[in-house]
Amino acid sequence: MKEIKMKVIDLFAGCGGLSLGFIQNGFEVTKAVEFDAEIAKTYSKNHPQTDMIVDDIGNIDNDRYFSEGEADIVIGGCPCQGFSTAGARIRKGFVEDPRNYLFKHFLNIVKTVKPKMFIMENVKGMMTMQNGEIFEEILTALSDKEIMDGEQYHVYYKILKGVDLGIPQKRERLFIVGIKDRDIDFESLLAATEQRIIKNNNKFFDKVSIKDAIANMPTVSVSGIVDSPDATTPYEKYLAASTPVITNHIKTKHSEKAVERMRQIGNGENFTSLNEKIKSVHSGAYGRLCWDEAAPTITTRFDTPAGGRFIHPNEDRTLTPREAARIQSFPDDFVFVGNKTSICKQIGNAVPPKMSFYWANFAQIALGQSVNYERTATEEVNETCGVG
């Protein structure tokens, strides 16, 4: 059998959550594209082996930066702001609409590289934008041979729920998967993916609570650097660092008024428990987490009491970046760099690495390859499902 390492290109890479799951599963992420230079620093610190292109994707979606066959898979979370909400009228016109430029650049790079597979990540709400018309146009464009320069991609989609993947967070993300020249039994491969992961880690899909995820975190420090805590739960062990210290465990400096408000709020309660009016557009403002539940979706405002339900279960403060990263399923030795605003943005916008790990396993089965050796898709599915 031929030893291989499948290659991946990550577009709209952010801090690297989508890349990380593939790297953990033996893939080589050869190139990544990120517009924000500060966020790109976090990506490069954690993935130094990857060629990071810091630029507007519109400047590099051509054969000067990418070439046919250089990667097996193209992945990326094209921001939903990159789609027109004016309604779909003409199919080819949708791709050319300047309001859909981010999607067009993703598509252009796929057309240039011609990977065996692409995985496009986005918010669940994309499916209902403009009564579903936008989503239908995206699926049509990605599977249209003429639009894709003669290449036929069979396109499938799946919504992943964080709580179903052993992530202590009610986050849901949409993934669109395209496979070149092969019409697969998508549902069977999803089932095989789950079995393959369970075979290697039978705790992977177990439900995880906030307590399971962050109860062992030590007292915060001014620098954010603390000793690596002893891991006791399976989830803590899954994310435990091999380093003696971990970073980014620093609390936000809240005003005295904000701290006093937090003192009055019990587990599962929010601003409605206060005897005052709070000006906030978020219904969960000043919400306190419960130890025995999953968190709501971690957003870029997890450091702000008014931003949602992000108050620590028993301390009068919001989550630290390290705690939020834990809830996002980032390992403890993943280091976030930049100012507070940038780090919150990086963590809140990231794809949970456990979701990415799931798709990396799917890709290995669908493309007929395991981590180290070339195999047929049939062999991989049969082995995973206990056949033969």
Side-chain angles (χ1 to χ4, degrees), residues 5-147:
K5 202 166 192 179
M6 284 191 284
K7 293 179 169 57
V8 178
I9 292 172
D10 190 352
L11 311 177
F12 310 102
C15 67
L18 193 52
S19 285
L20 183 57
F22 280 84
I23 293 170
Q24 289 172 330
N25 223 25
F27 290 78
E28 179 185 359
V29 181
T30 56
K31 290 179 182 175
V33 180
E34 172 53 43
F35 175 73
D36 189 312
E38 291 304 305
I39 295 176
K41 289 178 182 177
T42 290
Y43 187 104
S44 294
K45 183 172 183 63
N46 293 279
H47 309 310
Q49 73 285 355
T50 300
D51 177 15
M52 166 54 73
I53 303 172
V54 183
D55 204 341
D56 186 319
I57 194 169
N59 297 330
I60 51 92
D61 71 337
N62 52 63
D63 57 13
R64 287 182 53 208
Y65 291 87
F66 300 96
S67 60
E68 181 176 347
E70 70 170 279
D72 300 285
I73 306 173
V74 172
I75 61 177
C78 181
C80 60
Q81 298 95 322
F83 298 104
S84 165
T85 58
R89 298 179 180 86
I90 303 173
R91 296 200 182 282
K92 291 183 182 178
F94 175 82
V95 175
E96 297 304 323
D97 189 322
R99 292 167 295 186
N100 301 332
Y101 68 101
L102 293 175
F103 172 65
K104 179 180 179 180
H105 297 317
F106 178 92
L107 187 147
N108 284 345
I109 293 173
V110 169
K111 290 195 294 185
T112 299
V113 177
K114 294 179 173 53
K116 299 171 184 175
M117 176 187 291
F118 64 77
I119 299 176
M120 181 178 165
E121 175 269 345
N122 217 293
V123 295
K124 176 185 174 182
M126 178 199 278
M127 297 180 70
T128 54
M129 288 173 62
Q130 209 67 30
N131 296 318
E133 292 181 15
I134 298 296
F135 184 58
E136 288 302 318
E137 289 299 327
I138 291 168
L139 297 181
T140 298
L142 292 169
S143 57
D144 188 309
K145 286 184 70 173
E146 185 176 349
I147 291 176

Side-chain angles (χ1 to χ4, degrees), residues 197-299:
I197 294 173
I198 290 173
K199 181 179 179 181
N200 294 307
N201 179 1
N202 62 6
K203 299 290 186 181
F204 186 90
F205 294 98
D206 288 359
K207 300 293 184 184
V208 179
S209 67
I210 295 296
K211 185 175 183 179
D212 295 328
I214 67 170
N216 74 331
M217 289 298 297
T219 303
V220 297
S221 73
V222 174
S223 66
I225 300 173
V226 295
D227 291 339
S228 292
D230 292 332
T232 57
T233 68
Y235 188 77
E236 290 169 352
K237 292 176 181 178
Y238 180 77
L239 301 179
S242 57
T243 53
V245 298
I246 59 176
T247 61
N248 303 117
H249 191 44
I250 185 170
K251 69 178 181 179
T252 299
K253 294 180 181 179
H254 302 294
S255 68
E256 291 184 12
K257 189 172 185 178
V259 172
E260 179 55 34
R261 286 171 175 165
M262 287 188 272
R263 288 195 186 107
Q264 301 175 54
I265 295 171
N267 293 115
E269 297 178 349
N270 58 26
F271 72 97
T272 58
S273 299
L274 301 172
N275 293 320
E276 61 175 303
K277 290 185 177 181
I278 301 294
K279 293 181 180 180
S280 174
V281 296
H282 199 287
S283 61
Y286 278 89
R288 187 182 291 277
L289 296 164
C290 296
W291 278 127
D292 59 355
E293 297 178 1
T297 297
I298 296 296
T299 71

Side-chain angles (χ1 to χ4, degrees), residues 307-327:
R309 192 176 166 207
F310 302 127
I311 299 175
H312 190 276
N314 62 5
E315 295 184 30
D316 297 322
R317 61 171 178 81
T318 52
L319 296 169
T320 69
R322 178 52 53 199
E323 289 166 337
R326 278 260 191 105
I327 293 170

Side-chain angles (χ1 to χ4, degrees), residues 144-170:
D144 188 309
K145 286 184 70 173
E146 185 176 349
I147 291 176
M148 300 301 288
D149 289 350
E151 299 293 343
Q152 180 64 69
Y153 283 91
H154 296 271
V155 179
Y156 314 87
Y157 61 90
K158 170 76 173 177
I159 293 173
L160 288 187
K161 298 180 180 180
V163 292
D164 292 340
L165 272 77
I167 301 170
Q169 180 186 180
K170 298 173 183 177

